Amino acid sequence: MVDELAARFAQRPTWRLSTLAHRSHQLLAAAFAERGRRGHDFRVLAALDEFGELHQAAIGRHAGLDPSDVTQTVRDLEAAGDLTRRPSSDDRRRMVIAITPAGRRTLEELDAAIDEAEAALFAPLSEPQRGRLRTTLAALTDARDLP
């Protein structure tokens, strides 16, 4: 398909990265949807698993999500039994949110979904190429302090 596009943009790394990001998003969304989940679910559960009990604002910071997205995602995950909420002992108006054992199982399922999506996305690459890509992507995102 790239052969049919105007080289002036199709050969640009920014266009290629944008196209790859779009395909990556499609694969991830499909893999999550097969499990009845979304990317926000993964990000919230991963933040709770890594950082422990958190207030909603801290979840947003650790998951790179807008507060309104955190609110809805927490509601959905609580309804699914993947997390619990309880009033903070410091401030009864704030809720402390924790991942449950079911949430950890969900997180493992979502890790598998990501593995599947990445395997499909990176199928054309050899293992050494995948390693170089990971290193390059880390260098680019770390240098720009991206979420």
Side-chain angles (χ1 to χ4, degrees):
M1 177 179 137
V2 173
D3 296 344
E4 297 176 14
L5 300 174
R8 185 174 194 128
F9 70 87
Q11 298 304 316
R12 296 241 182 209
T14 51
W15 183 84
R16 288 177 179 253
L17 282 170
S18 177
T19 302
L20 190 60
H22 180 71
R23 182 65 182 139
S24 175
H25 179 77
Q26 289 175 324
L27 290 167
L28 281 171
F32 289 149
E34 285 176 11
R35 292 157 174 86
R37 301 302 181 138
R38 300 169 301 132
H40 289 152
D41 298 341
F42 175 77
R43 291 162 70 170
V44 167
L45 291 172
L48 290 168
D49 187 57
E50 184 170 337
F51 295 100
E53 294 183 345
L54 297 169
H55 298 286
Q56 267 187 221
I59 291 173
R61 285 191 306 276
H62 292 303
L65 293 173
D66 183 81
S68 63
D69 291 328
V70 174
T71 299
Q72 187 57 52
T73 302
V74 165
R75 284 185 190 135
D76 295 346
L77 291 171
E78 183 180 33
D82 291 326
L83 56 80
T84 60
R85 289 193 286 180
R86 64 174 170 72
S88 170
S89 57
D90 300 339
D91 181 349
R92 305 297 277 172
R93 296 170 295 175
R94 294 179 76 181
M95 300 300 284
V96 175
I97 300 159
I99 191 170
T100 64
R104 283 196 173 82
R105 288 189 297 276
T106 297
L107 186 57
E108 289 175 10
E109 291 173 20
L110 297 180
D111 276 327
I114 292 171
D115 291 343
E116 290 171 15
E118 287 178 354
L121 186 66
F122 302 131
L125 302 178
S126 67
E127 198 51 50
Q129 288 173 318
R130 291 177 190 201
R132 288 192 299 275
L133 178 61
R134 285 184 194 98
T135 300
T136 301
L137 290 173
L140 287 170
T141 56
D142 292 348
R144 296 288 171 210
D145 194 30
L146 299 175

